[in-house]
Amino acid sequence: MDNRFLYAFSVALEPSNLFYCALGSILGTIVGVLPGLGPAATCAMLLAFTTHLPAEGAIIMLAGIYYGSQYGGSTTSILVNVPGEAASVVTCIDGFPMARKGRAGEALFIAAAGSFIAGTVGVFATMMAAPSLAEIGLHFGPPEYFWLMMLGLVGVASFSGEALLKGIISVAFGLMLATIGLDPVSGIERLTFGWSGLIGGLEVVSLFMGLFGVAEIITCLEEQREAVYKGKLGRLFPRGKEMVRGLLASLRGTVIGFIPGLLPGVAPAVTAFWAYDLEKRFSKTPRRFGQGAIEGVAAPEAANNATSQAGFIPLLCFGIPTTATWAIVLAALVLHGLQPGPILFERHPHFVWALIGSMYIGNIMLLILNIPLIGLWARISLLPYKVIGPSVLAICLVGSYSVRNSMFDVWNCMIFGVVGYFMKKRNWPAIALVLGFILGDLLEQSLRQSLEMSGGTVGILVRGGICKVLAAFALVMVFAAVIGEWRGKKKSWSGGLDERGNL
Amino acid sequence: MAFGIRWSETLITAGAGVVGVVGYFRLKERMAAASVKIIAGPDSYLAAISLVLLLCGAVAAVGSFRQGPDRTPSEGHLLRSARVIVVLGTLFGYLGAVQILGYLAGSLIFLPLLFCVFGMRPLYKSVLTGMAMAGGFYLLFEKLAQIFLPKGWIGL
């Protein structure tokens, strides 16, 4: 364990890795601060350009953007009641009231501290758990991988979006899009309908840029708000009991955010809400919540960062991304010829430990950046959308072209931008479509290999102990989603009344 | 509307399933013509996905019949959509211009338009900003980053 620890930091402290870590953290904070530009959109935008960077640097930078955005997202939530990104919505509830009372500095500090605590716990948990989980992955054959992919897809269909049926349809769409092009085994074209442009299949970069980059810009164009903060920040450090309350809430938020973060489809915004809800329920003075309770800022901020960090473990060990941004990181890994899973730990240990170590160093950098530079981030948040929007679209155009030097990919990017816009407006989970697309090839490969091994008998999929356990988990997830939806419908059927007849 | 799914979305889902089924039969023909015989071929996987989509479409349709008609959008929503339509029209025009005229010429024309559509005023500001960005991005990507941008049909 000590050797692992030292090795991780020794490779993470190499100058080039430090540079990319700092770049990713700063970009991530800026992205988090700017309303309307999320980490997924930014990573999608930069994905094509990371192919020109070394693999380590590219992934360290993309990961830095993700956890950096969790730090930055709280800034505008607290200062102007506009969440910088989805996971910081809950922070508005108590963060903005704290700012109105002249305690913006304390709110920003405890948000940064909570994110740091969650990040630290997340990185150490990754260091301890990831190698062991990756070793378990060595015992996985095609049937086990099939259920692992299914678990990921079922999880995202169950937990993302407002209805299980929408999640299933989105996943199925993604799986179908993944079949377009040449079948890798037989070389026969599928769903090309004679169009030569589709023989190579759809480019993952265009899909991401469209669904997350272009769609987000167009959506935010409709919801544009001008945000101005004119108040003072006040003192930075909470005093006495307030500091203790804030730090304890951060620890609780970390636990609440970390464990669900291991599951696909559980967004940081969801765990942030859970953490807030639990703090309020178990508080001795719940009336303080909504009026500027420090726990109402610390807990959700810690939870959302813990969820982001936790998602790294299934990505690294099994190649299953839990959120859209991790899906983009997976695409970046694949573009660099790196397949996540146990093989990655065996063949590229330098890369793996550089990444894990840099996540902790990134968290330290973010704590140092966020506290003294709070005033700077507040000013950056005022950049008008009429400048950001067209710039991002222009970058998406170049980025989607640069992968295969094909205008076809650019058209795809814009078409998926329109699709992504409508999905956002109608609450369809784009992450489910993306996961279906990314995992589709692996799912098909493992299914076909399993059936080849068994001579066509489907029973091979439930023969092994691991297969049975994974299949059981998938079924439990589906049942949990169905029961959750049925309960929601039962309330609406009774006109919004609960069992006691109260509204 | 049922499960939060509108009729139009139900039709799209079912349509995708139908496309998958058509693709499956075309694939079967090609496999037969190429004498490809695999235990778990590319056709069965496609068929399974298409079936899932058709089934989901059917479930959504049955649910919608039981729940009643969709609600129409409010006037405010339509007005917001008009702005989005203008932006999308400009974007697709931009792509067409890049395809025909090349990246530099297409961007010099359409980036100022895009800034204008996004609300930058006065007009001369959007023209100057758009042209500066077009030139700047061309130098950055084409010359510095060596990402060779589209030359268009006229080779600019």
Side-chain angles (χ1 to χ4, degrees):
Chain A
M1 169 67 192
D2 287 338
N3 285 344
R4 201 185 286 175
F5 196 85
L6 289 169
Y7 185 56
F9 287 112
S10 67
V11 293
L13 286 168
E14 287 171 12
S16 59
N17 291 336
L18 270 180
F19 168 73
Y20 287 113
C21 184
L23 183 63
S25 302
I26 292 167
L27 273 174
T29 307
I30 292 171
V31 161
V33 158
L34 290 171
L37 195 63
T42 310
C43 289
M45 213 164 53
L46 295 174
L47 180 60
F49 306 110
T50 60
T51 54
H52 303 278
L53 301 177
E56 259 173 43
I59 307 304
I60 285 172
M61 187 182 74
L62 291 176
I65 290 171
Y66 192 20
Y67 52 79
S69 68
Q70 308 305 315
Y71 277 77
S74 55
T75 303
T76 48
S77 298
I78 291 165
L79 296 180
V80 290
N81 205 27
V82 173
E85 41 99 37
S88 302
V89 166
V90 183
T91 310
C92 293
I93 302 172
D94 276 280
F96 186 58
M98 281 183 79
R100 278 196 303 198
K101 289 178 182 174
R103 298 175 61 204
E106 290 175 59
L108 290 165
F109 170 80
I110 205 66
S115 297
F116 177 74
I117 289 169
T120 303
V121 168
V123 169
F124 280 103
T126 305
M127 277 188 190
M128 307 255 290
S132 313
L133 283 172
E135 268 187 50
I136 292 171
L138 283 171
H139 299 288
F140 280 26
E144 286 80 11
Y145 268 107
F146 169 77
W147 280 113
L148 201 59
M149 301 298 142
M150 280 301 289
L151 191 63
L153 294 173
V154 163
V156 80
S158 306
F159 296 123
S160 63
E162 61 181 20
L164 177 63
L165 190 60
K166 279 186 170 177
I168 293 171
I169 294 172
S170 296
V171 165
F173 260 117
L175 291 173
M176 182 169 272
L177 290 174
T179 62
I180 296 173
L182 290 177
D183 173 48
V185 176
S186 58
I188 294 180
E189 291 172 25
R190 276 190 301 193
L191 294 181
T192 57
F193 297 103
W195 196 2
S196 58
L198 288 175
I199 288 176
L202 295 176
E203 175 52 49
V204 65
V205 171
S206 318
L207 189 84
F208 276 131
M209 283 196 167
L211 282 176
F212 297 114
V214 176
E216 192 156 332
I217 296 299
I218 297 169
T219 309
C220 290
L221 181 69
E222 281 186 324
E223 296 160 8
Q224 214 170 328
R225 282 182 267 181
E226 293 297 324
V228 180
Y229 179 69
K230 291 179 181 164
K232 288 185 181 175
L233 292 175
R235 65 170 184 248
L236 268 185
F237 300 104
R239 283 182 192 164
K241 279 184 185 171
E242 285 280 290
M243 178 73 101
V244 172
R245 271 200 223 121
L247 292 176
L248 287 174
S250 299
L251 285 168
R252 290 190 292 265
T254 300
V255 173
I256 290 163
F258 190 83
I259 296 162
L262 297 168
L263 297 170
V266 179
V270 171
T271 55
F273 174 74
W274 287 344
Y276 183 87
D277 193 46
L278 282 168
E279 282 297 315
K280 191 176 173 183
R281 274 175 201 268
F282 291 102
S283 169
K284 289 173 188 169
T285 50
R287 282 185 190 175
R288 291 184 300 112
F289 285 78
Q291 316 295 327
I294 201 164
E295 299 96 309
V297 174
E301 280 300 311
N304 77 34
N305 206 3
T307 303
S308 315
Q309 299 271 354
F312 188 55
I313 295 175
L315 173 72
L316 201 61
C317 300
F318 304 116
I320 299 195
T322 54
T323 60
T325 312
W326 285 130
I328 297 167
V329 173
L330 173 63
L333 282 166
V334 171
L335 283 171
H336 281 95
L338 297 167
Q339 185 59 45
I343 311 275
L344 192 68
F345 279 81
E346 274 191 13
R347 290 193 190 155
H348 305 278
H350 190 270
F351 168 82
V352 172
W353 292 108
L355 191 49
I356 295 173
S358 72
M359 287 174 83
Y360 188 67
I361 290 168
N363 272 287
I364 296 175
M365 281 184 189
L366 285 161
L367 189 68
I368 293 167
L369 280 173
N370 273 268
I371 293 167
L373 298 178
I374 280 169
L376 174 65
W377 304 129
R379 269 185 228 114
I380 285 174
S381 72
L382 302 179
L383 265 175
Y385 207 71
K386 47 197 151 198
V387 173
I388 299 167
S391 314
V392 168
L393 289 171
I395 292 171
C396 284
L397 187 153
V398 175
S400 50
Y401 179 80
S402 68
V403 181
R404 297 195 291 194
N405 282 0
S406 166
M407 279 301 294
F408 178 75
D409 291 335
V410 185
W411 286 104
N412 275 340
C413 174
M414 293 302 159
I415 290 166
F416 279 110
V418 175
V419 168
Y421 165 72
F422 282 111
M423 288 181 86
K424 267 181 181 277
K425 294 295 288 182
R426 294 290 307 136
N427 290 320
W428 284 78
I431 174 63
L433 191 152
V434 156
L435 226 59
F437 183 79
I438 289 203
L439 297 181
D441 280 343
L442 287 167
L443 182 77
E444 183 182 4
Q445 204 178 319
S446 46
L447 175 64
R448 286 168 69 174
Q449 281 174 352
S450 305
L451 293 174
E452 288 284 342
M453 280 161 58
S454 68
T457 319
V458 182
I460 191 172
L461 294 174
V462 287
R463 206 170 287 164
I466 297 175
C467 289
K468 287 174 185 161
V469 169
L470 293 172
F473 269 126
L475 279 169
V476 164
M477 274 193 207
V478 171
F479 278 128
V482 168
I483 288 167
E485 269 190 50
W486 184 76
R487 274 188 172 169
K489 276 182 187 161
K490 193 181 169 192
K491 242 189 184 165
S492 68
W493 289 335
S494 58
L497 300 173
D498 65 14
E499 293 87 351
R500 293 179 190 171
N502 300 317
L503 275 168
Chain B
M1 182 165 75
F3 308 103
I5 301 176
R6 288 184 171 175
W7 268 111
S8 50
E9 291 155 357
T10 305
L11 286 171
I12 290 169
T13 304
V18 167
V19 166
V21 168
V22 169
Y24 164 76
F25 283 112
R26 287 181 71 145
L27 186 58
K28 280 294 254 193
E29 279 173 20
R30 255 187 244 115
M31 284 173 70
S35 306
V36 170
K37 284 176 188 172
I38 310 172
I39 291 172
D43 53 334
S44 35
Y45 182 72
L46 182 59
I49 298 168
S50 309
L51 272 168
V52 168
L53 282 167
L54 285 171
L55 194 64
C56 289
V59 169
V62 166
S64 293
F65 266 123
R66 291 172 71 180
Q67 290 226 335
D70 300 347
R71 275 177 286 162
T72 52
S74 68
E75 194 181 314
H77 175 76
L78 281 171
L79 284 171
R80 283 202 297 275
S81 295
R83 194 176 185 195
V84 167
I85 289 167
V86 170
V87 167
L88 288 175
T90 311
L91 268 176
F92 281 102
Y94 182 19
L95 289 197
V98 166
Q99 179 127 32
I100 297 169
L101 303 173
Y103 177 80
L104 186 60
S107 298
L108 284 169
I109 298 167
F110 274 88
L111 271 179
L113 201 58
L114 208 56
F115 276 104
C116 179
V117 162
F118 265 79
M120 187 172 273
R121 297 288 183 273
L123 279 176
Y124 77 86
K125 217 175 171 182
S126 46
V127 169
L128 285 174
T129 312
M131 291 183 116
M133 181 168 283
F137 275 11
Y138 178 78
L139 289 172
L140 176 66
F141 292 118
E142 177 90 14
K143 303 299 178 191
L144 205 67
Q146 298 284 299
I147 295 169
F148 299 107
L149 297 170
K151 299 282 179 274
W153 298 345
I154 57 177
L156 284 177

